[in-house]
Amino acid sequence: MNVASVVLFGALLAGCQTHLEPREYPKGYGTLTGTDGRTLLVPQACLEPVVLDQPSDGSAPMLPPGCANSLNLLQMVERREDLLEGRQTGPAMAAPVGRAAQLYLNGVQTEEQRRRQQEQQSQTDTRRGAQ
């Protein structure tokens, strides 16, 4: 390889884009009133026009950017009103998780676990004696 081809190759690599910028799309939710008078919660991203680069093979049109993510979030929330205005959160339930992690790491059994293990052992011994 000569020096000119190495320099040309380096210049080509320098011009390559290494990452894509995130696309901006409307965030948030709004309400629409249907013809029957019902109010629906709709992501703002879904109100945008459909993407122009549609496939020409006759398949279904693509959703606007961000619409599918917002629709999925709308299906996952406990209360849909939380998407319009959040609510105060309570204390985290860290104690049960911490105890479980401690038991896992230390291998310590609680009284309840010992009792269950003894019951299982006695049931197994009873079955073996009956055979």
Side-chain angles (χ1 to χ4, degrees):
M1 241 196 225
N2 59 20
V3 174
S5 62
V6 171
V7 171
L8 179 64
F9 183 70
L12 288 174
L13 281 179
C16 293
Q17 187 174 5
T18 58
H19 69 283
L20 297 175
E21 296 297 322
R23 285 185 82 168
E24 289 295 320
Y25 59 88
K27 294 169 178 56
Y29 295 83
T31 55
L32 288 178
T33 305
T35 56
D36 57 355
R38 292 189 321 180
T39 303
L40 301 172
L41 191 61
V42 179
Q44 295 291 338
C46 295
L47 299 175
E48 292 294 309
V50 177
V51 179
L52 296 177
D53 54 347
Q54 296 297 321
S56 60
D57 60 359
S59 62
M62 300 171 110
L63 292 172
C67 179
N69 289 341
S70 297
L71 284 173
N72 285 334
L73 180 61
L74 186 62
Q75 297 299 317
M76 289 188 283
V77 294
E78 178 185 8
R79 294 187 212 162
R80 291 180 176 220
E81 301 84 36
D82 289 345
L83 295 173
L84 295 175
E85 185 174 337
R87 56 187 155 136
Q88 187 69 28
T89 58
M93 297 295 291
V97 175
R99 279 194 300 270
Q102 185 178 16
L103 290 174
Y104 179 77
L105 292 173
N106 297 336
V108 179
Q109 288 185 334
T110 63
E111 283 299 317
E112 179 67 21
Q113 288 173 325
R114 284 190 204 109
R115 187 184 58 78
R116 286 182 188 166
Q117 188 176 18
Q118 288 173 351
E119 286 177 3
Q120 289 174 352
Q121 185 64 36
S122 65
Q123 288 176 354
T124 304
D125 293 342
T126 305
R127 288 182 188 152
R128 286 184 186 162
Q131 291 177 357

